[in-house]
Amino acid sequence: MQLDRSFASSACSMKYSSQDGRSKPLNGHGATARHIMVYAPVYETIKQQAASGPRVETAHITGKYVEPGAVERRDYQVGLAEQAIRENCIVVLPTGLGKTAVALQVISHYLDEGRGALFLAPTRVLVNQHRQFLGRALTISDITLVTGEDTVPRRKKAWGGSVICATPEITRNDIARGMVPLEQFGLVVFDEAHRAVGDYAYSAIARAVGENSRMIGMTATLPSEREKADEIMGTLLSKSIAQRTEDDPDVKPYVQETETEWIKVELPPEMKEIQKLLKMALDERYAALKRCGYDLGSNRSLSALLRLRMVVLSGNRRAAKPLFTAIRITYALNIFEAHGVTPFLKFCERTVKKKGAGVAELFEEDRNFTGAMARAKAAQAAGMEHPKIPKLEEAVRGAKGKALVFTSYRDSVDLIHSKLQAAGINSGILIGKAGEKGLKQKKQVETVAKFRDGGYDVLVSTRVGEEGLDISEVNLVVFYDNVPSSIRYVQRRGRTGRKDAGKLVVLMAKGTIDEAYYWIGRRKITAARGMGDRMNKSLAAGGPAPKAAPKKGLEGYF
């Protein structure tokens, strides 16, 4: 877009809303012609407003401890914050619409009352991001960061801060050690609150906090399963769901369009033959299970197999070998179909080293499985991986800005990264900290910062990058594989279209687990959309909300 010189000159003295929500002068770091082009859409909007009349100043969040002009005031965020101040609740707001700004207003309220706040998030990357945001938005200086990489003496000192951003595992452990003065917190924020189920650390922290502090959860979407939603509400002692959707009138002006493109690929004949052999090996195990009295019928899913484990171990050990072998083959088949040759072979390399029922038989005697491995090695030697790879390269080359690629397996991350680098595409990787090759939390933070600052054009990430990453310049998100989860789908998709229009590319291999997972995820999104309203209606009526009928088959598991 071309801008006339007079307008470009005046624009340099104007302000834009930065990633952290502050209003900053465009020439604060030396506005150049390149900067003018980068922010051309902003200037065009201002130019149009100027032509139509006086420009209305943007309102900002105010408070005794809030930095003036730091964060734009949005009515829907104010409404959600007011509800969170009144009662324990779960704040449900689509990704990119400012859940952290809602938390800021609630934190400000409790600081005004002379009480502190504890802000929890699942990863150091996310915790660090929250601390940076609050450091810019609040006028207080004692905003501390507590993670497992800090020493005990350092953590003891940090727990005395007015606002503390911390990871849940170390918080739970330090509470057990008696290091956390819980009475100082008027507020505890549980970011990514959908994790507050089972034995995740959020559950223990919430029990320790009890009725002594306000507790609010934040998530982009509730689970599609009523049982999980009820558990989250119960764990966090929530009285209501504070929810807004992209269709609400007060939210719509802030929603950016995200174009979605589905790219389907066909497995080549060589891969179809390997797929066939793996399925034949799996069929033999289902037949053996049937002979042992376990007929799974058409419900041939990983979930059905996993549910059988305790039943078999406690009652019919004869079925253990075919059951656990079937589980291994199912994992191998799913990885092969969705991720390709090398991830499949790496999975086999790790599995053969393990001891367990049926391992030696599978890798030494099963003609179908050993035949599949032999063909996979030949395909690898010939340079074959997965037909998704060239489609991925094509997609990221066409991106107008940064691209974020999601895949569920580390072996797949390594493969994608090496292929992109070989193609001359500047890429980095973001994975969890577990294992010898994992990224420590400090390195994760550095990787995200480098991507944000332009050090990488493409970031290839596992699940660790799905939650909360605020990188406004990501114009393209690619699902290399699909996940049968409404929460993970929404989180992945939400990494683009945050400040400007974005694009989502979904890669699917025809006739594979890819397709099944994708459509299960989509159906679960539909179920999750109405969950908040159903639960609020139930709570208002003083009884449980209606529950969906139990699902069957593959969808039932997920």
Side-chain angles (χ1 to χ4, degrees):
M1 182 185 297
Q2 284 296 116
L3 297 174
D4 59 86
R5 284 182 178 272
S6 60
F7 180 72
S9 175
S10 63
C12 285
S13 64
M14 296 181 180
K15 295 183 177 182
Y16 72 98
S17 181
S18 69
Q19 181 178 326
D20 63 299
R22 284 176 181 263
S23 181
K24 297 181 178 179
L26 284 171
N27 63 352
H29 297 287
T32 64
R34 181 176 66 83
H35 293 116
I36 297 298
M37 294 308 296
V38 168
Y39 293 100
V42 178
Y43 300 152
E44 188 64 24
T45 299
I46 297 171
K47 191 175 180 181
Q48 290 170 0
Q49 291 174 344
S52 61
R55 188 163 74 93
V56 179
E57 288 293 328
T58 300
H60 293 87
I61 295 172
T62 59
K64 181 179 178 181
Y65 296 102
V66 176
E67 186 74 44
V71 181
E72 178 186 11
R73 184 187 190 278
R74 298 181 181 181
D75 288 344
Y76 68 88
Q77 294 173 346
V78 173
L80 294 172
E82 288 174 348
Q83 185 171 342
I85 290 169
R86 288 195 305 270
E87 60 187 8
N88 287 3
C89 64
I90 308 295
V91 175
V92 182
L93 189 63
T95 301
L97 290 172
K99 288 184 289 294
T100 315
V102 175
L104 168 67
Q105 295 174 68
V106 187
I107 291 170
S108 171
H109 170 83
Y110 281 94
L111 288 175
D112 287 349
E113 292 189 346
R115 301 194 69 187
L118 172 59
F119 201 146
L120 299 164
T123 66
R124 173 159 179 166
V125 173
L126 193 48
V127 166
N128 188 67
Q129 184 173 283
H130 290 330
R131 180 178 180 249
Q132 289 178 344
F133 170 80
L134 294 174
R136 293 186 292 261
L138 293 171
T139 58
I140 62 174
S141 59
D142 58 334
I143 303 172
T144 59
L145 182 70
V146 178
T147 73
E149 295 188 0
D150 300 317
T151 62
V152 170
R154 185 174 178 180
R155 294 203 307 273
K156 282 183 178 178
K157 182 178 179 181
W159 281 120
S162 296
V163 177
I164 298 167
C165 299
T167 49
E169 288 82 4
I170 200 63
T171 301
R172 177 192 59 197
N173 295 343
D174 281 356
I175 288 174
R177 295 184 182 105
M179 289 170 52
V180 184
L182 290 174
E183 65 280 357
Q184 76 183 31
F185 301 124
L187 170 70
V188 180
V189 181
F190 296 81
D191 195 17
E192 310 296 347
H194 50 268
R195 286 177 172 253
V197 294
D199 60 357
Y200 188 68
Y202 277 176
S203 301
I205 296 168
R207 286 194 298 271
V209 173
E211 300 282 357
N212 299 317
S213 303
R214 170 71 66 243
M215 293 195 291
I216 64 171
M218 302 197 306
T219 183
T221 180
L222 289 169
S224 58
E225 303 87 349
R226 178 59 195 269
E227 294 80 7
K228 288 184 179 179
D230 282 339
E231 184 179 354
I232 293 166
M233 292 280 287
T235 296
L236 302 184
L237 304 180
S238 300
K239 305 299 182 184
S240 64
I241 306 294
Q243 180 172 276
R244 292 291 189 281
T245 71
E246 294 176 343
D247 297 324
D248 287 323
D250 54 353
V251 176
K252 270 189 174 181
Y254 303 96
V255 175
Q256 300 293 337
E257 293 296 324
T258 297
E259 172 194 354
T260 301
E261 179 182 4
W262 294 268
I263 299 178
K264 292 190 176 184
V265 299
E266 191 86 40
L267 295 182
E270 297 90 339
M271 290 188 71
K272 285 186 176 180
E273 187 59 32
I274 296 169
Q275 180 190 42
K276 179 181 177 181
L277 290 170
L278 292 173
K279 287 183 175 181
M280 289 170 64
L282 190 55
D283 287 343
E284 290 182 7
R285 273 65 190 190
Y286 277 113
L289 285 170
K290 187 175 182 179
R291 290 193 296 271
C292 292
Y294 301 106
D295 185 1
L296 298 180
S298 60
N299 188 13
R300 293 192 172 191
S301 64
L302 180 60
S303 61
L305 294 170
L306 294 173
R307 282 195 296 267
L308 268 182
R309 286 181 300 182
M310 293 310 296
V311 176
V312 166
L313 290 175
S314 61
N316 188 349
R317 289 188 170 271
R318 219 166 29 95
K321 183 184 288 188
L323 173 61
F324 285 100
T325 304
I327 291 172
R328 294 185 188 98
I329 297 172
T330 301
Y331 275 120
L333 176 61
N334 291 352
I335 291 171
F336 176 76
E337 290 182 338
H339 300 272
V341 174
T342 294
F344 164 70
L345 289 174
K346 286 190 174 181
F347 171 81
C348 291
E349 288 173 12
R350 287 192 298 272
T351 305
V352 74
K353 296 175 183 177
K354 298 178 180 178
K355 295 180 180 180
V359 172
E361 178 185 298
L362 179 65
F363 285 93
E364 296 173 12
E365 302 174 20
D366 189 296
R367 292 184 179 181
N368 291 317
F369 196 86
T370 56
M373 287 184 61
R375 288 172 184 264
K377 290 175 181 178
Q380 185 185 54
M384 182 179 294
E385 288 296 349
H386 201 290
K388 290 180 183 179
I389 293 292
K391 294 296 183 182
L392 173 62
E393 292 179 7
E394 183 181 326
V396 298
R397 286 191 188 280
K400 296 178 181 178
K402 295 184 177 69
L404 190 52
V405 180
F406 285 113
T407 182
S408 298
Y409 290 95
R410 289 189 183 182
D411 293 336
S412 185
V413 167
D414 293 338
L415 173 65
I416 294 167
H417 179 245
S418 66
K419 291 294 183 181
L420 292 178
Q421 290 289 87
I425 298 170
N426 183 22
S427 62
I429 65 171
L430 180 63
I431 58 176
K433 63 180 181 178
E436 293 181 4
K437 296 183 179 180
L439 291 185
K440 297 300 181 184
Q441 292 178 337
K442 183 179 179 181
K443 184 64 176 177
Q444 292 173 11
V445 173
E446 292 172 355
T447 298
V448 172
K450 186 173 180 179
F451 180 51
R452 181 182 286 122
D453 295 340
Y456 303 122
D457 298 320
V458 180
L459 188 63
V460 186
S461 177
T462 55
R463 185 172 184 171
V464 71
E466 292 175 0
E467 293 180 319
L469 286 189
D470 185 12
I471 303 172
S472 60
E473 298 81 7
V474 173
N475 299 101
L476 172 68
V477 164
V478 180
F479 289 12
Y480 188 80
D481 65 350
N482 290 278
V483 288
S485 161
S486 57
I487 292 172
R488 293 185 64 191
Y489 180 95
V490 168
Q491 288 177 326
R492 283 182 168 193
R493 182 182 181 275
R495 296 310 114 208
T496 188
R498 299 176 72 83
K499 302 295 182 185
D500 296 300
K503 183 175 181 179
L504 168 65
V505 170
V506 181
L507 300 175
M508 285 190 285
K510 296 178 184 177
T512 71
I513 196 67
D514 258 347
E515 288 188 322
Y517 280 5
Y518 175 76
W519 292 112
I520 291 170
R522 293 289 296 179
R523 286 193 292 272
K524 293 185 84 169
I525 288 169
T526 301
R529 280 178 182 150
M531 184 63 69
D533 289 338
R534 290 196 297 273
M535 295 187 74
N536 276 336
K537 286 178 182 177
S538 171
L539 291 166
K547 296 183 181 180
K551 297 175 182 177
K552 298 180 180 180
L554 184 63
E555 186 175 355
Y557 168 61
F558 292 107

